[in-house]
Amino acid sequence: EYMGMTQLEKWKHEQSQLRRQVIQQDDKGWVPHRVEYIGGLDISFVKNTSHAVACLVIVEAKTLKVVYEDFEEGDIHDEYIPGYLAFREFPLIKVLVDRARSSPIFPEVFLVDGNGILHYRSCGSASHIGVLCNIRTIGVAKKLLCVDGLTEHSCSGLNHVGQAIDLVGRSGKVWGSALLTLPTEEPIYVSIGHRISLESSMNIVRGCMAPNQHIPEPTNQADLRSRDFIAHRYDNSGKRKRDRPADRRNWICLTCEASNALVEAKCGFCDAIRP
């Protein structure tokens, strides 16, 4: 217990405080279509362990090419409880975001694998991260969180790729939008995280969709790279294969796609200048 409250009650109280700080509109003067760099955040777990690897990637908005990647590892012992995912993942995410602030290509907006205000208490992972890190965030989930009467039937009007429909609850509140990205998959669910409107969130997400892709490229790359990080460093039993490099921050050359240490100003393979 914490000050007379259980851990769950404490988390619920914190979410209530955070949701009051969520800004559900674009920052004054911010122009979404001029965004140059977009971040993607995701976490993967080492099989059969509580050890997690969080990944932050930065993509160039025009090309969707990855220009930066970073990883942070740590043990997560808090039990998974639906609606409180952010409390498990935030410590690792915060380390990545804080390290990226020193980069000249710090993103103007981050896509988070999870929900924003589409949440039991209107404060999912994307909103939680956005408020505490003071960054612009968008929640992108692969499964619908059924709040305020929402069900998968709420998306029954989606018939073709690229079509979207607002998720309107029984209360009349618009919780987010469902976007059909592949004809053979369920839609993805986009919601406001922090410091952005739903309209701008949808425009950013649409611009991040690669051909024949189910989820936006920033979170797709964060997912793939965190899994790859684990595959190269841990065996099937969850045992580490070799020590982790001291610094996994890299920038990715747009010319030859080689990975370079962040301290290098030029690509070591083709001499291209770091973006």
Side-chain angles (χ1 to χ4, degrees), residues 19 22 42-43 51 60 63 65 70 74 79 82 99 106 119 126-127 141 153 158 178 184 186 200 226 235 239 252 259:
R19 73 180 177 190
V22 173
D42 199 3
I43 286 184
H51 197 71
E60 190 180 52
T63 65
K65 287 187 176 181
D70 190 13
E79 177 187 359
R99 271 207 301 260
F106 188 73
H119 179 267
S127 297
H153 182 70
L158 295 176
T184 57
E186 293 297 314
S200 293
S226 62
D235 60 26
K239 184 178 180 180
I252 313 300
S259 179

Side-chain angles (χ1 to χ4, degrees), residues 2-194:
Y2 174 80
M3 295 179 66
M5 294 190 292
T6 65
Q7 183 67 67
L8 194 61
E9 289 172 336
K10 177 176 176 286
W11 284 350
K12 186 179 295 186
H13 175 73
E14 287 185 25
Q15 282 184 337
S16 296
Q17 296 298 313
L18 289 173
R19 73 180 177 190
R20 295 187 179 96
Q21 301 175 55
V22 173
I23 298 172
Q24 299 185 36
Q25 59 189 21
D26 295 338
D27 289 341
K28 186 176 181 180
W30 182 62
V31 184
H33 69 264
R34 293 182 181 173
V35 167
E36 294 185 65
Y37 298 103
I38 300 170
L41 292 163
D42 199 3
I43 286 184
S44 295
F45 280 83
V46 177
K47 188 177 180 180
N48 300 320
T49 76
S50 60
H51 197 71
V53 175
C55 178
L56 183 158
V57 301
I58 300 174
V59 304
E60 190 180 52
K62 290 182 179 179
T63 65
L64 298 184
K65 287 187 176 181
V66 177
V67 294
Y68 173 102
E69 61 178 6
D70 190 13
F71 304 87
E72 184 65 23
E73 297 181 74
D75 291 322
I76 296 179
H77 298 295
D78 289 323
E79 177 187 359
Y80 168 66
I81 302 175
Y84 298 93
L85 182 64
F87 291 96
R88 284 165 49 91
E89 301 183 344
F90 179 71
L92 296 181
I93 295 295
K94 184 179 186 302
V95 171
L96 292 174
V97 172
D98 287 346
R99 271 207 301 260
R101 291 186 196 278
S102 64
S103 168
I105 53 174
F106 188 73
E108 295 167 73
V109 60
F110 288 80
L111 271 58
V112 178
D113 179 45
N115 289 301
I117 66 168
L118 176 52
H119 179 267
Y120 303 117
R121 284 163 294 283
S122 301
C123 190
S125 296
S127 297
H128 189 116
I129 293 166
V131 170
L132 290 181
C133 291
N134 191 25
I135 56 176
R136 192 176 291 108
T137 55
I138 300 169
V140 183
K142 296 182 284 292
K143 292 184 178 180
L144 177 63
L145 191 63
C146 296
V147 299
D148 194 17
L150 292 175
T151 67
E152 292 185 358
H153 182 70
S154 306
C155 311
S156 59
L158 295 176
N159 300 310
H160 59 267
V161 171
Q163 186 179 4
I165 189 169
D166 283 346
L167 297 169
V168 184
R170 274 194 302 253
S171 65
K173 176 178 178 177
V174 178
W175 293 86
S177 293
L179 173 64
L180 190 63
T181 57
L182 287 177
T184 57
E185 298 283 353
E186 293 297 314
I188 59 174
Y189 304 96
V190 180
S191 57
I192 294 168
H194 183 51

